Each structure stands twice: as structure tokens, then as C-alpha cells.
Amino acid sequence: MTTTPQPLLRVRDLAMSFPGRRARSAPVRAVDGVSFDVAAGETLGLVGESGCGKSTTGRMIVRLLEPTAGSVTYDGRDISHLSQRELKPLRKELQMVFQDPHSSLNPRQTVARIISDPLMVQGSSAADARKRTAELMELVGLIPEHIDRYPHEFSGGQAQRIGIARSLATGPRLVVADEPVSALDVSVQAQIVNLMGRLQQELGLAYLFIAHDLSVVKRVCDRVAVMYLGRIVEIGPKERVYAAPAHPYTRALLSAVPLPDPAAERARERITLLGDPPSPAAPPPGCSFHPRCPKAQAICRTEAPPLRVATPGETRQVACHFPEAA
């Protein structure tokens, strides 16, 4: 009897609510019962429109935010509510790359200080930390001789390489990449994506890759989870999700991705969703997507569909009462 290996990261029923802007207003449910696994060495893409809860989910996983409910289990240990003291030894294994490279780097610190700080916190000497910083700069494609420069002296792509080097300083096993290329020029995006792929192969990293650009996600991820209004509506292997999306929202997202073939682009069906996403402070009853769904029926307005296997015999799951046939 073979046993399924334990995932490196296990997220179950994760939720996050923020207080409303006014004293008596309803809380904002930014994340509402999210569950997924990430295996060692795997890349899971987390996609969806702005405001769907992707970044909040990533910040809870690395414990920059404490979940309102649910659990985050890393390497078999529940880290959902550990104190900062208890988290300290785990920080070196859980790191994050932020969206805007320049705003995530302290403009008053040199690159040497920015990259070496995590090492110093973990107990390295100043000399060892500086030596390791130079090695990391070379690893991510930066010139080690620029170690004493400041962030404003680097381009956006170079600044993001600094952010990646900082995340690798302590030798992590899991990196949460929150829109790591969306603030960069298209030509630079490819360089950063290639860099992250190479680092994953060389260092055995696992990624939670948060993005809204589905063409980038298709290139870098093994599996894809699609979020809408704080919930995962479809999750499964990249090939299945892109080739035959089961949820109407996933179909709409993929129909907006440009195709390189002009003839195919003109011939394909373009799905236009009506209206804007509802407010997470006042989500609609039943399926949260039903006000914009072209397939919505009576049950969709009253009963929220559970996330379940889309087709017998496969691992992909979809939260829809009337999923598309494979």
C-alpha cells in the first residue's frame, strides 16, 4: 500500500475578515474558506480579479496577517496562531516576494543591508552575511560589486532581483510570490519568470505564485487555483484548467487572454461578464458569482456550491452547480 506524501503546505478553510469602515458596518470578508495544498517543489498559481483575496491569502500563509478562521499547516505543523517568538525559526523557510520592487525595498538602506538583514536576524555574523549577500546577488543575475548601492540606482527588474535575493537569503523551502512581475515591463517580466524557474530547479523551491495574468501563470505553474470574491471556484492541473475550464468564471478569464494567432483570436468566443464583482462586505446569497453568471439558475441564488471533483476520475475540483462538461 502506497501512502500519499504529506504536502509542504496545507491550507484549510482559511478566512480573513476586516472591520467595516464605519462603526456599525458589516465586516469585509476578504477571504472566505479557502483550502488548497502545495507539495514540495511545486508551483501553485493563485489567480483572479483584483480584490478577490489573493494577496490577503498569501500574507496569511507567511503570517503577515493572522487568520480570522481556518488553519495553515507548514511541514506538518499548524502555524496559524503561533506567536512571533515561535515563528522566528520558521521564518527562514517561509519567505515572500512583493509586487512593487521599489516600494518593498527600504530606500535608505544599501543592497548589502537589505539582503543581509534576514541573515543577521537568524544569527549570522556581519562578515558571513555580507559574503552570502554577494553570492546571492550573483545567483539572481546582479553584479556583486554593486552591493553598496541603494535601490534607486537600480531598474525595476534589477530591484525585483534584489527582492528575490532577499527572499532566498535564509534558504527557504516555500516562497509566496505576490504579483512578482505585474509592475515590470513585458520584456523584463520574461527575464524574472525565467529566473524564478531556474532558481526553483536549482534550489528545490515551492512557489505560491499569485497573479492576474493567466498567460504568465500558464508558463510557470503546475496547478492553478481560481479565486472569486474570497473563495476558490476551480482548482486543478494547469493542463486541464486551461484546456477545458469547468467554471463559467474561469472560462471568462481565459477568453480574455490574447492568442498569438490572429485568425484564432478573431474566431474564438469572447465571454463578457456583466457588472462588477459584488462587495465582499455584502456578498450575494448562494453562489457568489450568480449575479454575473450566464448560466445561473434558481438554485444558484440560494445555495452556495461546494468545491468538489468536476469529473469522476480526475483531481480537478470546481464550485459550480452546473459546471462545463470536459
Side-chain angles (χ1 to χ4, degrees):
M1 178 178 178
T2 58
T3 58
T4 304
Q6 177 178 273
L8 180 64
L9 177 72
R10 173 168 288 171
V11 176
R12 290 293 179 269
D13 301 319
L14 197 64
M16 184 70 201
S17 295
F18 294 100
R21 293 185 177 180
R22 298 177 182 177
R24 297 184 179 180
S25 58
V28 177
R29 294 186 65 84
V31 178
D32 190 12
V34 165
S35 300
F36 58 81
D37 295 338
V38 179
E42 180 189 32
T43 301
L44 174 67
L46 194 59
V47 303
E49 292 172 290
S50 296
C52 71
K54 308 184 301 293
S55 295
T56 302
T57 299
R59 288 170 182 266
M60 283 191 287
I61 288 170
V62 298
R63 283 296 313 278
L64 294 179
L65 292 173
E66 183 162 345
T68 303
S71 65
V72 177
T73 303
Y74 172 77
D75 199 19
R77 182 181 182 185
D78 189 343
I79 65 170
S80 312
H81 303 289
L82 294 183
S83 67
Q84 292 302 314
R85 180 181 178 184
E86 293 171 319
L87 276 171
K88 184 177 178 180
L90 290 174
R91 291 287 188 197
K92 61 183 180 181
E93 298 191 22
L94 287 166
Q95 291 293 320
M96 191 165 187
V97 176
F98 297 92
Q99 177 177 355
D100 187 340
H102 280 294
S103 66
S104 65
L105 303 177
N106 190 332
R108 297 185 177 185
Q109 292 184 351
T110 64
V111 173
R113 177 68 184 274
I114 289 170
I115 298 177
S116 65
D117 260 358
L119 293 166
M120 303 282 282
V121 169
Q122 294 293 333
S124 293
S125 67
D128 289 344
R130 185 177 177 87
K131 179 181 178 182
R132 178 58 178 158
T133 297
E135 294 172 352
L136 287 166
M137 289 183 69
E138 189 169 8
L139 180 66
V140 300
L142 295 172
I143 300 174
E145 287 73 17
H146 294 168
I147 193 170
D148 291 315
R149 291 188 176 184
Y150 290 85
H152 73 270
E153 300 180 78
F154 296 87
S155 67
Q158 290 173 326
Q160 192 60 292
R161 291 173 187 266
I162 296 171
I164 293 172
R166 176 178 59 184
S167 73
L168 299 179
T170 56
R173 299 175 63 193
L174 174 68
V175 174
V176 176
D178 185 11
E179 302 269 12
V181 298
S182 63
L184 306 176
D185 294 337
V186 174
S187 59
V188 180
Q189 288 183 6
Q191 298 173 18
I192 298 300
V193 166
N194 290 338
L195 170 65
M196 294 184 69
R198 175 174 64 81
L199 292 172
Q200 182 176 39
Q201 292 181 350
E202 293 179 2
L203 305 176
L205 300 171
Y207 289 133
L208 176 63
F209 194 95
I210 300 170
H212 64 268
D213 188 334
L214 281 93
S215 59
V216 172
V217 170
K218 184 178 182 180
R219 182 174 177 182
V220 303
C221 297
D222 303 304
R223 292 188 301 125
V224 180
V226 182
M227 284 189 72
Y228 183 81
L229 206 65
R231 298 179 179 178
I232 290 179
V233 296
E234 184 166 358
I235 183 170
K238 171 183 64 179
E239 295 78 8
R240 293 291 295 147
V241 172
Y242 277 79
H247 197 281
Y249 178 62
T250 310
R251 290 177 61 84
L253 287 180
L254 289 173
S255 77
V257 178
L259 297 177
D261 183 354
E265 176 69 22
R266 289 192 297 268
R268 73 168 175 171
E269 176 189 8
R270 177 63 62 88
I271 301 172
T272 303
L273 297 178
L274 301 176
D276 296 321
S279 169
C287 175
S288 58
F289 185 60
H290 85 257
R292 307 173 72 193
C293 182
K295 300 179 64 176
Q297 299 185 29
I299 189 175
C300 304
R301 299 179 180 90
T302 59
E303 185 177 329
L307 191 65
R308 56 193 171 195
V309 174
T311 304
E314 72 169 0
T315 58
R316 178 175 51 167
Q317 295 177 297
V318 59
C320 182
H321 292 298
F322 306 100
E324 296 287 340

